[in-house]
Amino acid sequence: ATANRQKEFYPEAICYTDYNELLANDEIDVVDIALHPKPRAAAIEAALNAGKHVLSQKPFALDLDVATRLADLADEKNLKLAVNQNGRWAPYVRYIQQAINAGLIGDIHAINIFLNWDHTWIKGTAFETIHHIILYDFAVHWIDMAVNFFKGQSAELAMGTIRKATEQSMTPSMMGGATIQFSNGFANLGFDGHSKQGSLERFAVTGSKGVLTAIGPLLKIDEVKLETEEGVATARLKGEWFNDGFRGTMGELLCAIEEDRQPFNSARNNLKTLEAVFAVIGSADNGQTVQVGSHRQLDEKCQPKATD
């Protein structure tokens, strides 16, 4: 398969069967590691020890202690370790984040996000074997957004829930939700992955000075409305999550290397997202409110099983 990709996209590329051989190449400064989380941690550690800057696929790790250790190692080696939370660079998400950072709506009160779409394509694939396919593999993007929208506030408590649609034939629950309490606000997130019609994504972010709203096709919202006491403004945006989001994560890492600063999507920053995701999943499993940061690991149910 690797040779086929080489032939199709970049015949001059060098193919390796052992990533340690790749890491021994002194001409390589940055590596993008897209293995599943379980084998990925060792590869990230090896890359950092080889002096490479790293972009890790998301979710970053299955264990918060391992994730912290890798972030510490990157700092110790004076290297940049970033996470491919590509949703942050979807144009509408980036606009909302920048508007919040600029103080346009003041202190954040509440974040409400709801999505409905058809995720039933996973039937018969390895993704169907993931117990928390919605909360773990999918919702991580929007939980990450909420954590970063609440700039300067800490996530404290989380509640998560999953349900099966009455007509679904897939094994895992295709609907899920989360409520995350922050120091001075809360986020509500809802996901219906078994909606066959009218796919939509909706945002409402309220603050002490205004409101940001956005609605449109999943991953393709092209405008954000800002309402304050001064009036209403609508930002019409260019680009889409695919592929602008992916360009954003790697571009931010490369700029951070060039400017010798921590990238916005640093592993250290992403620890807060992992804490929230783990707490939401822990709550969905035990039916109780979970303190963010107390649920330290995810088990094998959150990983796809090999299929024949």
Side-chain angles (χ1 to χ4, degrees), residues 22-79:
L22 180 149
L23 296 176
N25 188 333
D26 291 336
E27 294 184 355
I28 296 173
D29 297 318
V30 182
V31 292
D32 183 349
I33 300 179
L35 302 170
H36 287 302
K38 187 174 181 179
R40 189 194 307 144
I44 292 173
E45 184 172 6
L48 292 172
N49 283 323
K52 314 299 184 186
H53 302 285
V54 177
L55 179 67
S56 167
Q57 183 53 264
K58 62 83 196 164
F60 177 39
L62 300 174
D63 185 310
L64 285 172
D65 294 332
V66 170
T68 301
R69 179 173 58 81
L70 292 172
D72 289 343
L73 179 61
D75 290 344
E76 178 186 315
K77 299 286 186 180
N78 196 30
L79 294 166

Side-chain angles (χ1 to χ4, degrees), residues 163-186:
R163 290 292 184 274
K164 288 189 175 182
T166 54
E167 73 280 16
Q168 79 168 65
S169 59
M170 283 70 62
T171 302
S173 296
M174 298 302 291
M175 300 184 295
T179 297
I180 305 170
Q181 177 181 305
F182 292 81
S183 52
N184 288 299
F186 66 91

Side-chain angles (χ1 to χ4, degrees), residues 85-157:
Q85 291 287 174
N86 43 77
R88 297 188 190 190
W89 279 272
Y92 54 101
V93 178
R94 192 62 180 154
Y95 183 90
I96 293 172
Q97 184 73 67
Q98 294 291 69
I100 291 170
N101 291 353
L104 297 185
I105 62 170
D107 297 327
I108 304 304
H109 291 170
I111 296 169
N112 286 279
I113 300 173
F114 178 72
L115 294 77
N116 65 287
W117 78 106
D118 185 359
H119 209 62
T120 60
W121 62 267
I122 68 168
K123 185 171 179 59
T125 73
F127 290 101
E128 192 181 4
T129 67
I130 300 176
H131 174 50
H132 285 296
I133 181 65
I134 298 299
L135 293 182
Y136 167 77
D137 189 71
F138 194 82
V140 59
H141 288 292
W142 287 268
I143 293 174
D144 180 71
M145 294 171 200
V147 168
N148 283 283
F149 289 169
F150 267 107
K151 184 181 179 184
Q153 294 195 39
S154 298
E156 297 176 344
L157 298 172

